[in-house]
Amino acid sequence: MRFANWWFLFLIPAVIPLFFLAAKKRGLHFSSVKLLRGVHRDKTIKHKVGKIIALCGVVLSIAALARPQTVEAADSIWRQGIDIAMLLDVSGSMQSVDFEPNRLEVARQTIDNFVAGRANDRISLVIFAGAAYTRIPLTLDHNVVRESLASVSIESVNQDGTAIGMAISVGLNRLKKSDAASRIMILVTDGDNNAGAIDPETASQLARDLGIKIYAIGIGSDSLILPVHGFGGQTQYQRFEGGFDEELLKRIASTTGGQYFRAMDSDSLAQVFDTINRLERTEFQDDNFREYTELAFPLLMASLPLLLAGVVLDRYFFVQIP
């Protein structure tokens, strides 16, 4: 048993003397009480019964404010989970419409579904283009991750390019202090490393040394189809070939003991995340599981009749005559 608001208990030793002091000051004033003494209403121990009953009601009310609770269960429970850093490319090429409506929108929605199904995992969100930064650090609050993910756009990183090495380095900063038995990064990109001061292969070697796997996902077909605004506000589409370094992503995954996947359309991207979702999960013990039952309401229900009975007895039945 415990008291959630235990500091209210200090009122109990303070209220007892104050209660009887206030009761002494209260009395009936008569010019003479000789006639009343004859009806045996003089001072006896029974004249304190009402006060004591009322005081018990006050004490129970204070105890209720202290919120007494009983522990119904205190067993350890086992959960499963891993720490995941999600690295999402938001460079301009992710506007390509070979995915409907574009690569970035499909990637965001697929990652959102993935996050929703990983209730026991801590997840971090890193976005990158020509630079990389942490959008959300590792957290179990997946609503925050999903809300942040929903607002990600091409404009979220102002620097052009694709800094894969920088993205891996930022993801390592999120995971290197994690004490989880299993830590992974999921890299979603459609380009070649053409920006940033850190080489992606050097970053992947550091990930390997830290025991962090990287699952690299190459998103998109072999061609970019980008919207171009022409004269008169009309939107035209221009096709670009190349710009995708599949061999680099394969080396990154292989170096860290992860896997490389290629997603040519939205269905194959969903299948890739389903595959990752079946990863072996690490069990961990949660010793903080407690279930409490509140006792404040029963105490309040018991204090009210005691207060009422005490006042009635003290005022009308056990009248004290000096």
Side-chain angles (χ1 to χ4, degrees), residues 159-209:
Q159 190 170 340
D160 293 332
T162 305
I164 296 176
M166 291 293 294
I168 295 174
S169 297
V170 174
L172 289 176
N173 285 333
R174 301 277 65 84
L175 294 176
K176 66 182 181 180
K177 294 182 180 180
S178 165
D179 56 0
S182 182
R183 300 170 294 171
I184 69 169
M185 277 190 276
I186 301 177
L187 170 64
V188 181
T189 182
D190 69 346
D192 185 12
N193 184 75
N194 54 23
I198 300 176
D199 178 66
E201 296 194 53
T202 301
S204 61
Q205 289 170 4
L206 181 57
R208 177 197 60 196
D209 294 340

Side-chain angles (χ1 to χ4, degrees), residues 112-310:
D112 181 82
N113 293 336
F114 176 81
V115 171
R118 306 288 297 193
N120 294 322
D121 300 328
R122 293 198 304 171
I123 296 177
S124 172
L125 177 61
V126 175
I127 62 173
F128 68 97
Y133 72 91
T134 301
R135 184 90 172 187
I136 299 292
L138 282 174
T139 180
L140 278 170
D141 190 346
H142 293 171
N143 287 332
V144 171
V145 177
R146 296 175 69 186
E147 288 173 5
S148 180
L149 182 65
S151 62
V152 167
S153 68
I154 302 299
E155 291 77 25
S156 296
V157 179
N158 295 326
Q159 190 170 340
D160 293 332
T162 305
I164 296 176
M166 291 293 294
I168 295 174
S169 297
V170 174
L172 289 176
N173 285 333
R174 301 277 65 84
L175 294 176
K176 66 182 181 180
K177 294 182 180 180
S178 165
D179 56 0
S182 182
R183 300 170 294 171
I184 69 169
M185 277 190 276
I186 301 177
L187 170 64
V188 181
T189 182
D190 69 346
D192 185 12
N193 184 75
N194 54 23
I198 300 176
D199 178 66
E201 296 194 53
T202 301
S204 61
Q205 289 170 4
L206 181 57
R208 177 197 60 196
D209 294 340
L210 292 173
I212 298 173
K213 293 180 181 180
I214 299 178
Y215 291 85
I217 303 173
I219 182 172
S221 60
D222 293 328
S223 300
L224 283 174
I225 306 174
L226 296 177
V228 177
H229 298 292
F231 294 103
Q234 292 184 344
T235 300
Q236 299 177 341
Y237 295 92
Q238 188 171 356
R239 183 182 296 271
F240 300 89
E241 299 296 332
F244 181 71
D245 192 345
E246 189 171 38
E247 291 303 316
L248 172 63
L249 298 182
K250 288 180 178 179
R251 290 195 299 272
I252 290 172
S254 177
T255 298
T256 62
Q259 296 183 44
Y260 167 72
F261 303 92
R262 182 70 185 274
M264 304 287 285
D265 52 41
S266 57
D267 289 338
S268 60
L269 182 61
Q271 290 174 5
V272 167
F273 274 94
D274 285 342
T275 300
I276 298 175
N277 199 34
R278 292 192 293 270
L279 289 170
E280 182 179 353
R281 303 188 184 191
T282 303
E283 291 187 338
F284 64 91
Q285 190 172 6
D286 185 357
D287 293 319
N288 296 320
F289 177 73
R290 299 289 187 275
E291 185 177 348
Y292 296 99
T293 299
E294 295 281 351
L295 302 178
F297 185 73
L299 288 179
L300 283 175
M301 295 298 294
S303 68
L304 292 177
L306 288 176
L307 285 170
L308 181 60

Side-chain angles (χ1 to χ4, degrees), residues 27-150:
L28 301 175
H29 299 282
F30 297 95
S31 58
S32 176
V33 295
K34 291 181 180 180
L35 294 176
L36 293 175
R37 288 185 185 277
V39 296
H40 304 290
R41 291 285 186 176
D42 52 340
K43 183 176 180 180
T44 65
I45 187 64
K46 69 180 181 180
H47 296 102
K48 297 181 180 180
V49 171
K51 297 181 179 64
I52 293 173
I53 292 175
L55 178 60
C56 290
V58 172
V59 170
L60 286 179
S61 298
I62 296 173
L65 292 175
R67 287 185 58 199
Q69 300 170 332
T70 57
V71 181
E72 294 295 324
D75 295 332
S76 298
I77 60 174
W78 286 92
R79 297 183 185 274
Q80 295 179 315
I82 61 178
D83 282 353
I84 303 172
M86 189 72 62
L87 316 181
L88 176 60
D89 187 348
V90 296
S91 60
S93 58
M94 292 291 284
Q95 296 180 94
S96 178
V97 296
D98 55 339
F99 283 55
E100 178 64 37
N102 58 54
R103 293 177 180 178
L104 180 58
E105 181 60 32
V106 172
R108 286 199 304 115
Q109 186 57 54
T110 306
I111 293 172
D112 181 82
N113 293 336
F114 176 81
V115 171
R118 306 288 297 193
N120 294 322
D121 300 328
R122 293 198 304 171
I123 296 177
S124 172
L125 177 61
V126 175
I127 62 173
F128 68 97
Y133 72 91
T134 301
R135 184 90 172 187
I136 299 292
L138 282 174
T139 180
L140 278 170
D141 190 346
H142 293 171
N143 287 332
V144 171
V145 177
R146 296 175 69 186
E147 288 173 5
S148 180
L149 182 65

